[in-house]
Amino acid sequence: MAGPGNWNDPDMLVIGNFGLSYEQQRAQMALWAIMASPLMMSVDLRTIKEESKAILKNKNVIAINQDSLGIQGTRKWQKGGIQLWTRPISQGAWTFVLLNTHNDVPSRVTVQIQDVVGKEEMLAQSYQLYEAFDGIDMGLVKPTDSKSFIVNPTGVFMGMLTPTESFGESRSIFDRL
C-alpha cells in the first residue's frame, strides 16, 4: 500500500509517446494520480505534442497525486467495462476515477456518491463536486445522491468531492495551487 515513504511504482508514464490516444493519455495520468504513484515521464520533451504536455502539467491532477495523506486509491467496483476507483485525500475530500475500458462508444455511468465516500466514512452532509482535469464546479451533491457522467471510450472521468461543512463553504484543494 502506498503512503509517505512507501510509493507504488507501476512504471513510467508513456504520455506523449506514440501509441496512446488522447483519452488513453488522460486515463493513464488519472490512474497514476489516484494510485499515488510517482509521475516519471518517458517522453522526449523536445518532440512532445502540446496536448500531451498539458496532461503531464495539469496542476489539479498533480495536486491529487501529491496529496499529503499519500493514501493509495482502490478499485471499488467493476461493472462490465467500467471501473470506479476512489481515494481519500486531505481535508476530508475524496477523488474518484471512472475508467471506461470499452473502445467503441462513450458510456453513461451513474454513480452513487456513497460509493465514492463509503457509508462508514460519510463525514459530510454534502460535497462540492469538481471535474478534476479542468477544475469545473459541477455543483453540490449529498452522499445519498446519484450522479451520471459520460465517459469516452478508453477514457476517464476524474472527479473530486470536497466536504462543504469543513470550512463553512466548499474549498477545493485546487484553491491551494
Side-chain angles (χ1 to χ4, degrees):
M1 294 298 280
N6 189 35
W7 305 107
N8 291 318
D9 185 7
D11 209 349
M12 290 187 191
L13 293 163
V14 294
I15 296 167
N17 291 332
F18 294 104
L20 293 184
S21 70
Y22 175 74
E23 292 297 331
Q24 291 165 340
Q25 291 178 71
R26 283 174 42 104
Q28 187 183 31
M29 188 69 173
L31 289 171
W32 261 239
I34 206 154
M35 289 188 290
S37 298
L39 300 177
M40 297 182 290
M41 302 178 297
S42 65
V43 66
D44 184 343
L45 295 175
R46 297 170 295 175
T47 60
I48 190 171
K49 293 181 181 177
E50 286 301 316
E51 69 180 11
S52 300
K53 188 187 297 183
I55 292 169
L56 289 168
K57 293 174 65 178
N58 187 294
K59 290 181 179 183
N60 297 341
V61 178
I62 292 170
I64 290 167
N65 173 266
Q66 300 293 307
D67 182 73
S68 61
L69 291 181
I71 297 172
Q72 172 184 332
T74 57
R75 189 173 73 182
K76 285 281 186 131
W77 52 251
Q78 179 170 349
K79 297 176 182 175
I82 305 295
Q83 298 176 17
L84 171 64
W85 291 76
T86 66
R87 176 182 175 197
I89 55 178
S90 57
Q91 298 181 352
W94 287 80
T95 188
F96 66 99
V97 170
L98 292 168
L99 172 66
N100 183 357
T101 62
H102 295 279
N103 61 6
D104 48 2
V105 295
S107 296
R108 176 178 295 279
V109 183
T110 302
V111 174
Q112 295 288 122
I113 300 304
Q114 66 190 19
D115 284 351
V116 175
V117 299
K119 292 178 185 174
E120 64 278 355
E121 289 96 3
M122 273 192 234
L123 303 175
Q125 295 299 310
S126 62
Y127 292 87
Q128 200 67 34
L129 173 62
Y130 297 91
E131 186 279 333
F133 276 94
D134 297 318
I136 297 169
D137 185 338
M138 298 183 71
L140 193 66
V141 293
K142 295 179 181 173
T144 54
D145 290 347
S146 295
K147 189 78 175 172
S148 293
F149 306 93
I150 301 296
V151 186
N152 287 330
T154 67
V156 292
F157 175 86
M158 185 174 203
M160 187 180 71
L161 295 165
T162 302
T164 55
E165 310 68 60
S166 296
F167 306 100
E169 62 181 61
S170 179
R171 229 178 105 205
S172 162
I173 67 166
F174 305 150
D175 296 339
R176 298 190 306 251
L177 301 176

